[in-house]
Amino acid sequence: MTSFRPICSANHKESNVVVFEKENFIGKQWEINDDYPSLQAMGWANNEIGSMKVQGGAWVFYQFPGYRGYQYIMECDRHGGEYKHYREWGSHAQTFQVQSLRRIQQ
């Protein structure tokens, strides 16, 4: 481990994120307030998310279904909760691909 930092999280009643099909909050959108081991199984049409607005809580987004692959921590108090492009997801973000997500618990 080379570094770490605290993650502010909220109770699950406050966890909320809106994902968008394309960057800059364009295209189909979906409001999420629960954990999803597979976004496609729950109705998201493709395996990519272009942008998102974290309106409450903190989330871990995963590259593959079943909470596998690259992990991206998204928080409502970072970037004002707005992530316009995958390059804002973290320094190692390589792709728009997100296929599962879950809320961070205290």
Side-chain angles (χ1 to χ4, degrees), residues 45-64:
N46 56 33
N47 65 0
E48 296 176 342
I49 291 176
S51 55
M52 69 190 76
K53 292 183 180 181
V54 180
Q55 299 173 330
W59 297 78
V60 181
F61 284 66
Y62 297 85
Q63 182 181 14
F64 299 119

Side-chain angles (χ1 to χ4, degrees), residues 52 58-63 69-75 86 88-98 100-102 104:
M52 69 190 76
W59 297 78
V60 181
F61 284 66
Y62 297 85
Q63 182 181 14
Y70 285 121
Q71 301 174 14
Y72 308 107
I73 297 174
M74 310 299 186
E75 301 170 82
Y86 80 93
E88 295 178 347
W89 297 0
S91 61
H92 66 280
Q94 301 294 316
T95 178
F96 285 103
Q97 189 172 5
V98 170
S100 57
L101 58 91
R102 67 174 140 199
I104 295 177

Side-chain angles (χ1 to χ4, degrees), residues 8 28 31-32 36 47 53-54 71 78 87 93 99:
C8 297
K28 180 181 172 185
E31 186 172 341
I32 300 171
Y36 287 99
N47 65 0
K53 292 183 180 181
V54 180
Q71 301 174 14
R78 297 260 178 192
R87 288 184 295 262
Q99 297 184 48

